[in-house]
Structures are given as C-alpha cells and as structure tokens.
Amino acid sequence: MDNMKEMVAAVKKHARENYNRDGWDSIVECYDDADIEREILEGKATTIEEAIAHIGDGCKIWDDHRKDIEATAF
C-alpha cells in the first residue's frame, strides 16, 4: 500500500495539473488534506492510481452536475 501522505500529495498534484478538466478544480479549491484522505479511505484505495481514479469519479459527477446547471442559465 502506498503511504497515505504520498497518495494525498499525488491527488493534490493531479488536481492542480488537471484544474480545468472534469471537476478537479473542486479538489484544489475546496478540499484540504484531511478531506482528501477521507475520500481515499472511503474508496478503499491502496495505490496512488486507485486514489486518483476514485476521487476523479466523484469530481466528474459534480462537474457533470455543474454543467447541467450552467446549461439552464439565460
């Protein structure tokens, strides 16, 4: 299992590098390390890749929802 601190750092790095893609901006703007760690644990991720994938799934759901709301604006 990757070290939790390493997984959190990797998720934060990925979020910064993908700020304008698939809702990753929400991680940069709204999540602290404890929030990211909680998400990793919730997803039962044991590797950096699994952590990024799990959190990315949630980001995409929120991003799709945000786009739906934006589409209704006049």
Side-chain angles (χ1 to χ4, degrees):
M1 176 172 155
D2 288 317
N3 180 304
M4 181 58 74
K5 285 185 178 185
E6 291 174 353
M7 287 195 289
V8 169
V11 167
K12 289 169 61 175
K13 181 178 187 281
H14 184 84
R16 286 189 306 273
E17 291 173 351
N18 292 278
Y19 186 88
N20 292 314
R21 296 185 66 216
D22 297 327
W24 281 100
D25 61 306
S26 64
I27 300 301
V28 174
E29 300 293 337
C30 303
Y31 283 61
D32 64 15
D33 289 1
D35 295 325
I36 294 169
E37 183 174 339
R38 197 168 20 260
E39 289 291 330
I40 291 169
L41 291 170
E42 180 181 296
K44 297 180 174 68
T46 59
T47 67
I48 288 170
E49 293 78 15
E50 289 174 352
I52 290 171
H54 172 70
I55 292 176
D57 289 345
C59 289
K60 182 72 173 123
I61 290 168
W62 283 107
D63 193 48
D64 289 344
H65 182 65
R66 172 175 49 192
K67 287 176 181 173
D68 288 344
I69 292 169
E70 289 171 349
T72 64
F74 288 58

